[in-house]
Amino acid sequence: ALASHALKVGLALSLHCADEIKRLKIMPLTRTNRLQELQQAVAFFAEKEQSRITIEYVMLHGLNDSIADANKLAIFCRAFPVKINIINYNATHGDFAKSDPGTVRQFMTQLEHKNLIVNLRQSRGEDIDAACGQLAGQNSK
């Protein structure tokens, strides 16, 4: 629907996982936006707007940071011109942990070997338990 309005805006998609089962674990609301439908919609937008899509991908230790995950992301991104921003997770008191630097580098290298544009975003906000798409509250007693 957004592409039909010819707004000439860029599209950044917070994907975080190209594996349907893992994606549901990270973001349960994605139940209504399956990967295949999302891929088709993003490809339509890219074609209609003649623009490169930005994929935002937060790395989560042991959940979405394997070489297999990188390969699935590459397959998802084949349908449209893309730039992938890798974002380090800022550890909070939740269920997730930050991927180690070596794992992040291997993940990025795998994507680069698939001829994808990949950037590592500078992490900010760790001191306040915040980052792109993250915000945690702290209780004081």
Side-chain angles (χ1 to χ4, degrees):
L2 183 63
S4 66
H5 294 291
L7 298 174
K8 297 296 177 199
V9 297
L11 180 65
L13 172 66
S14 295
L15 186 65
H16 313 313
C17 199
D19 178 289
E20 200 77 68
I21 294 168
K22 290 180 182 183
R23 189 167 172 258
L24 282 168
K25 181 179 180 182
I26 299 169
M27 300 179 298
L29 291 175
T30 62
R31 210 171 266 111
T32 58
N33 296 303
R34 304 310 267 215
L35 281 171
Q36 184 177 5
E37 295 164 356
L38 183 59
Q39 183 188 46
Q40 291 169 351
V42 171
F44 177 77
F45 181 91
E47 183 178 331
K48 184 104 168 153
E49 292 295 315
Q50 295 296 298
S51 66
R52 181 179 306 275
I53 305 303
T54 301
I55 299 290
E56 306 290 354
Y57 195 96
V58 174
M59 300 287 289
L60 301 170
H61 175 72
L63 185 60
N64 69 348
D65 62 354
S66 71
I67 296 300
D69 291 313
N71 289 334
K72 288 179 182 181
L73 178 58
I75 291 167
F76 179 85
C77 292
R78 282 186 190 156
F80 45 85
V82 66
K83 169 182 77 170
I84 301 167
N85 286 333
I86 300 297
I87 304 166
N88 283 315
Y89 177 72
N90 286 341
T92 62
H93 307 290
D95 297 335
F96 304 115
K98 177 185 255 182
S99 298
D100 64 78
T103 300
V104 173
R105 185 71 243 153
Q106 288 176 347
F107 189 94
M108 292 177 65
T109 299
Q110 185 68 13
L111 294 172
E112 290 165 346
H113 286 152
K114 306 279 186 189
N115 296 318
L116 294 168
I117 299 169
V118 185
N119 300 302
L120 179 60
R121 293 256 312 263
Q122 283 291 70
S123 184
R124 295 188 175 91
E126 193 165 14
D127 58 329
I128 59 169
D129 289 345
C132 181
Q134 293 177 234
L135 188 57
Q138 294 182 358
N139 292 333
S140 61
K141 293 186 179 186

